[in-house]
Structures are given as C-alpha cells and as structure tokens.
C-alpha cells in the first residue's frame, strides 16, 4: 500500500496579522557608565601588585601550604566548580535547540471495527490481492524516523545559546572571585593566629614579671615596708594576667578550626612559626591605575558578562513577538502485516509539514517577559557600575589604611619601649620606697596593654597587605 502525505502549511492566512503583531513595547533605556578616575593618588605608574601570583605575594611556606590545600579541598569552591559545570551543560542544551530533533520509533497495534460501519463495510469489500480479503481484526505495524525543527529566522535560539555561553563565562569569573576571597580569608586568619600566639607569649612573660614583683612585695611586707593590701593587689594582678591565657588559648583553637574549615579538613594543629610575626614588614605596594581594575577584578568581569547576557536576553524575549516557523518531517514503513512492513514502495510513508505562527490576541505574557528582561538588563547595568565603584573605593581605602597603620605602628613601638623601660624603673623606685605599689601595678598594666596594641597593629598591617592584594584583584590568575 502506497501512502504519501505531503502537507505544507505556511500560515498564509496568518501573515496578514503577523506583521501587525511584530510591534513591540517601548523600553526604558539607560546608558552604561564604566568611567573611573585616572589615578588613585596622582601617579600614572602602571606597575600593579595584582599581577603577582599568590605564591610570590605570600612568602610564608606554612601559609602557602594552607592556601594550596584549600584550593583543592574547600567545599564551597568545589560547589562553585559544579555550578560552572551546570552552566556549561546549559550551553550544550541551548546548542541542541538550534539543531533539528530527530527521533526513531516503532509502533504496533490491532484494530477491530464493526462490520456495519463505513470502515468495516469498506474493509469487507476490499481485497489486498485478488482473492485475499482485508484481515479482521486489522493489525497495524509502523517503524520510522521523525524530525522537528524550529527555523531560527529571528536568531532567538542562537541568542539564547550566546546568553548561556556568556553566563557560563561569568560563572568562571565568579569562581575566580571566590578564589581571591578564599586566599584572603585564609591569609587573614593565619596572621590572626600568629598574633594570638604572640599575645599568649607576652602574657606568659608578664606573668613571670608580675610573679617576681609579687615576691618582692612579700619581702617588703616582712620588712614592714608595705601592708597586706599591697600583697593582695599584686596577687590579684598576677591572677588577672594568668586568666588572660585561657581566653587567648580559646581564640587560638577557634582560629585554627576556622582555617581547618577553609582548607576542608577536620580540626588539627595548624603548623606555623609565630616568632617571625613581629619581623614581618609589608612590602612596597603598587596600586597601578584604576582602569586596570576592569581587567583584574573577577567580580567586575563577572558583572560585565552578566550585563552582556542580560542584553542578549532582551533580544531573545523580543523574538517572541515575531512569527515562528516550525518544520516537521517523517519517513518510515507502515503495514498491517510484518511480512509486508518493508515492502517498497507499497509500505513506504513520508510526511513534510511547515507551520508559521505569530501571536495575535492576548500578548500580555510576551510583553511581560520582554519588559522583565529589559528591567533585568537595567539592574545589571546598575550592578556593573556599583561593582566598579566598590572596587575603586576598596583600593583607595586600603592605600590610606596601609599608610596610616605604618605611622601608628612606629608610634606604638616607641610607646612599648618606653613602658617596658618604665617597668624596671618603677620596680627600682619601689624597692627604694620612692614609688608606691600602685605606680608599679599601673606601669605593668599599661605595658601589657601597649604590647597587645602593638601586636594588634601588626596584625592590622598584615590584614591591610592581604586586603590590598584582594582589592586589586590579585590571587586568582
């Protein structure tokens, strides 16, 4: 049996309204402002610290080892890598939508119709071959290939693929931004840990100094030079200083475990050399020029790609107003008996159909998607501009911070030296009865606080070094 179906419907009747239906709503437009100042402090030197890889910027071998482990084991980073894979799969899916969809299928069935029906009467009077009637019940077998294809005449599908590809590239930049933040967080936590180690050592040294002072006061009491009140006050001072150890030790444990979490491992001791902390000096920094932020900062690059994708999404949404052309085709074999299934041309079937459809009435959903896409594009513009502004301010803040901390540390060092010397002076004066015990206690307390402040200032200096590198966009490449 030869069955040929050629059906081509191009929607001729619909073309009259297709033109009118292509009119799109007016959109609110916003210009993109990506301009930045020419310099941070008037310098046009393009040497940029962000160009250094993190292995060169951080010289401490223990810190390097922690960062290297984190880049392999950090769970949040690995989650982000899977998001990149998801974005890549989206690109693959969009690419597949552009190509024709081809399926292969087979079907089998049986059909029993009533004798006293038009089909039954017709089958009863029909012979397949001379002397051979149509079988009853009638079996039906079919095998073939079927294809559907939306012709991308308005570039809707190609633009959708381009948008997905752009967002994939944006997700890669998002991963780079996370790498920068992860490195900065580990470095800052590491320097905080070194600072705590030094604070603990200072406390132990002060406990020893204060214990020696307590013994002197006890001898003074025996000689009737001071009262029991002085002894008790010195004892209280020693106990107060000793109690500081346990608070610092708890902070050390929590900081170690914060680092362990970032590197993706269970709690364990973080290897380090705390003695080098006071000798650390931030290197000479080079901010370059602000325009370099557009290339170095992954968050700016990601915002730029998101903006590009949102622009493409507007074009994709706009294409919904235009007629859509779909073509479907099929080729196969169909017979009531498997013995005749592949008999050519009697059992051969094929079909070809085209359809052109355009929206006419109730286009509110299409308009809403179009306007929403445009609003998201404007959002992306604001986000891009905000990201640039934030990056510039971060660098400017850290430049000022580094300069002021350098001056602060210099003055704090002089303060510590003066108060450290005053401890010996106050002890000697106390022994010769030329100073009372309160002066000794206050001098010891002030010296301890000044040493803590010096360590705190050093830690803030190292944090500024890390934050400056991060603000410039270093660490990911």
């Amino acid at each position: 049996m030869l069955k040929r179906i050629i059906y081509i419907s191009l929607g001729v009747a619909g073309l009259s309204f297709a033109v009118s239906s292509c009119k799109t709503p007016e959109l609110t437009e916003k210009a993109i402002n990506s301009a930045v100042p020419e310099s941070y402090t008037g310098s046009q030197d393009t040497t940029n610290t962000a160009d250094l890889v993190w292995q060169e910027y951080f010289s401490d071998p223990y810190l390097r080892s922690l960062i290297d482990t984190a880049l392999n084991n950090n769970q949040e980073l690995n989650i982000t890598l899977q998001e990149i894979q998801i974005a890549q799969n989206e690109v693959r899916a969009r690419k597949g939508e552009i190509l024709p969809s081809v399926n292969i299928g087979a079907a089998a069935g049986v059909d029993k119709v009533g004798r006293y029906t038009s089909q039954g009467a017709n089958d009863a009077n029909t012979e397949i071959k001379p002397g051979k009637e149509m079988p009853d019940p009638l079996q039906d077998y079919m095998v073939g290939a079927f294809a559907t294809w939306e012709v991308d005449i308005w570039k809707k599908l190609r633009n959708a693929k381009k948008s997905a590809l752009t967002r994939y590239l944006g997700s890669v930049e998002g991963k780079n931004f996370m790498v920068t933040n992860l490195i900065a967080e580990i470095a800052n936590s590491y320097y905080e840990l070194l600072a705590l180690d030094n604070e603990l050592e200072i406390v132990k040294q002060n406990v020893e100094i204060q214990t020696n002072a307590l013994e002197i006061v006890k001898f003074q009491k025996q000689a009737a030079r001071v009262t029991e009140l002085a002894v008790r006050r010195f004892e209280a001072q020693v106990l107060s200083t000793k109690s500081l150890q346990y608070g610092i030790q708890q902070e050390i444990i929590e900081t170690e475990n914060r680092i362990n979490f970032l590197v993706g491992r269970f709690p364990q001791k973080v290897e380090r050399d705390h003695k080098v902390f006071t000798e650390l000096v931030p290197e000479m920094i080079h901010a370059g020029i602000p325009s370099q932020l557009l290339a170095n900062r992954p968050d700016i690059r990601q915002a730029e790609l998101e903006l590009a994708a949102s622009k493409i999404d507007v074009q994709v949404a706009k294409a919904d107003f235009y007629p859509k052309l779909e073509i479907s085709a099929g080729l196969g074999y169909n017979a009531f008996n498997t013995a005749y299934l592949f008999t050519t041309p009697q059992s051969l079937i094929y079909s070809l159909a085209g359809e052109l459809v355009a929206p006419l009435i109730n286009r509110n959903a299409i308009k809403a998607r179009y306007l929403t896409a445009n609003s998201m594009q404007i959002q992306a513009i604001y986000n891009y501009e905000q990201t640039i502004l934030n990056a510039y301010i971060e660098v400017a803040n850290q430049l000022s911070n580094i300069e002021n901390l350098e001056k602060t540390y210099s003055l704090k060092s002089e303060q510590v030296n003066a108060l450290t010397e005053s401890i010996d002076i106050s002890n000697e004066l106390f022994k010769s009865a030329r100073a009372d015990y309160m002066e000794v206690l206050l001098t010891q307390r002030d010296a301890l606080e000044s040493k803590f402040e010096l360590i705190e200032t050093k830690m803030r200096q190292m944090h500024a070094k890390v934050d400056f590198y991060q603000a410039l966009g270093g660490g990911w490449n």
Side-chain angles (χ1 to χ4, degrees):
M1 175 182 176
L2 176 63
K3 181 180 181 182
R4 298 181 180 181
I5 302 174
I6 303 177
Y7 172 69
I8 303 176
S9 172
L10 296 177
V12 176
L15 289 177
S16 59
F17 65 80
V19 175
S20 62
S21 68
C22 292
K23 185 178 179 181
T24 57
E26 286 192 18
L27 299 179
T28 303
E29 296 184 359
K30 183 187 183 312
I32 303 171
N33 179 18
S34 59
V36 293
E38 293 183 359
S39 67
Y40 298 105
T41 57
S43 171
Q44 288 298 309
D45 182 9
T46 57
T47 306
N48 198 311
T49 300
D51 295 334
L52 294 174
V53 295
W54 63 264
Q55 292 92 336
E56 295 178 5
Y57 192 70
F58 299 107
S59 58
D60 190 315
Y62 296 110
L63 176 56
R64 284 181 180 177
S65 177
L66 289 171
I67 294 174
D68 190 57
T69 303
L71 293 179
N72 290 311
N73 296 344
N74 181 265
Q75 286 88 351
E76 189 172 356
L77 182 57
N78 287 328
I79 290 172
T80 302
L81 291 175
Q82 293 306 308
E83 291 176 354
I84 292 176
Q85 186 63 47
I86 292 171
Q88 190 176 27
N89 292 336
E90 180 67 17
V91 176
R92 192 172 300 170
R94 294 294 183 180
K95 182 179 179 180
E97 291 177 355
I98 300 176
L99 303 174
S101 175
V102 181
N103 300 308
I104 297 177
V110 62
D111 190 17
K112 176 67 174 73
V113 297
R115 174 65 179 79
Y116 299 113
T117 63
S118 59
Q119 182 179 344
N122 186 55
D123 289 347
N125 295 316
T126 302
E127 293 183 344
I128 304 171
K129 295 180 179 180
K132 189 171 183 178
E133 298 181 353
M134 289 284 291
D136 185 26
L138 182 65
Q139 299 179 39
D140 188 35
Y141 301 95
M142 188 272 295
V143 62
F146 309 92
T148 58
W149 182 35
E150 180 180 345
V151 183
D152 194 21
I153 52 180
W154 310 115
K155 296 184 179 181
K156 174 184 176 181
L157 300 179
R158 280 171 285 180
N159 282 334
K161 174 196 168 186
K162 189 176 179 181
S163 174
L165 178 60
T166 306
R167 284 198 163 85
Y168 160 71
L169 297 175
S171 68
V172 174
E173 295 298 341
K175 185 269 296 183
N176 293 337
F177 187 56
M178 177 173 288
V179 168
T180 296
N181 292 338
L182 177 62
I183 290 173
E185 190 172 358
I186 291 175
N188 281 331
S189 297
Y190 180 78
Y191 290 130
E192 183 179 339
L193 187 59
L194 296 185
L196 289 169
D197 287 340
N198 280 268
E199 287 182 0
L200 184 60
E201 190 170 296
I202 290 171
V203 168
K204 291 178 179 179
Q205 292 172 357
N206 274 267
V207 167
E208 186 177 351
I209 292 172
Q210 291 171 3
T211 300
N212 293 335
L214 175 60
E215 294 302 319
I216 293 173
V217 172
K218 287 180 178 179
F219 285 124
Q220 294 276 17
K221 178 179 178 294
Q222 291 175 1
R225 301 265 308 269
V226 297
T227 64
E228 180 67 17
L229 177 61
V231 175
R232 293 302 181 187
R233 291 298 297 268
F234 271 84
E235 284 181 342
Q237 179 78 356
V238 172
L239 294 173
S240 175
T241 305
K242 282 183 176 180
S243 68
L244 293 175
Q245 297 180 75
Y246 303 103
I248 295 174
Q249 287 174 357
Q250 179 60 28
E251 288 186 65
I252 289 174
I253 290 174
E254 291 178 2
T255 306
E256 280 188 319
N257 287 339
R258 187 194 316 146
I259 293 173
N260 285 322
F261 176 78
L262 292 173
V263 301
R265 66 190 186 190
F266 286 99
Q268 57 184 272
K269 179 178 175 57
V270 174
E271 296 297 328
R272 58 195 182 272
D273 181 8
H274 71 276
K275 295 180 181 179
V276 303
F277 181 71
T278 54
E279 302 171 3
L280 293 174
V281 178
E283 299 87 352
M284 179 68 68
I285 59 173
H286 301 281
I289 55 177
S291 60
Q292 291 174 320
L293 291 173
L294 303 182
N296 291 337
R297 288 269 302 217
D299 56 335
I300 294 179
R301 293 156 63 96
Q302 183 180 21
E304 183 180 6
L305 288 166
E306 285 292 338
L307 173 57
S310 67
K311 285 184 176 181
I312 300 171
D313 288 341
V314 174
Q315 298 303 315
V316 172
K318 185 177 182 180
D320 287 336
F321 289 98
Y322 303 141
K324 181 171 65 172
L325 175 60
E326 290 186 350
I327 296 175
S328 60
L331 177 65
Y333 292 92
N334 187 208
F336 60 81
N337 191 312
T338 54
Y340 305 126
L341 184 58
F342 296 105
T343 302
T344 303
Q346 288 85 349
S347 296
L348 180 67
I349 59 171
Y350 56 86
S351 65
L352 177 65
E355 187 174 29
L356 184 65
V357 180
L360 176 62
I361 301 175
N362 194 9
R363 301 186 302 161
N364 289 334
I366 299 175
K367 290 180 180 178
R369 287 195 296 270
Y370 184 50
L371 295 173
T372 297
N374 185 64
S375 296
M376 294 178 70
Q377 176 194 205
I378 294 176
Q379 274 186 333
I381 293 174
Y382 283 122
N383 180 62
Y384 178 56
E385 294 175 349
Q386 184 185 52
T387 305
I388 294 175
L389 177 61
N390 179 66
Y392 180 87
I393 289 176
E394 284 182 359
V395 175
N397 285 344
Q398 291 308 320
L399 281 171
S400 175
N401 191 29
I402 289 172
E403 182 180 353
N404 289 324
L405 283 173
E406 184 178 354
K407 296 174 182 177
T408 301
Y409 187 80
S410 177
L411 294 173
K412 287 291 181 184
S413 298
E414 294 179 15
Q415 180 187 11
V416 168
N417 292 335
L419 287 172
T420 301
E421 292 176 2
S422 68
I423 292 177
D424 295 333
I425 295 172
S426 65
N427 286 335
E428 292 300 323
L429 291 174
F430 179 69
K431 291 177 185 178
S432 60
R434 293 162 62 190
D436 61 28
Y437 68 89
M438 286 303 297
E439 290 180 286
V440 177
L441 290 175
L442 289 173
T443 301
Q444 291 179 350
R445 186 191 65 185
D446 291 344
L448 177 60
E449 290 179 354
S450 68
K451 290 178 180 178
F452 277 176
E453 290 174 358
L454 184 65
I455 293 297
E456 179 75 18
T457 304
K458 173 61 71 175
M459 182 182 71
R460 289 171 60 195
Q461 273 191 303
M462 301 313 297
H463 281 182
K465 168 189 173 179
V466 175
D467 295 341
F468 176 73
Y469 185 56
Q470 180 186 15
L472 288 177
W476 60 268
N477 51 350

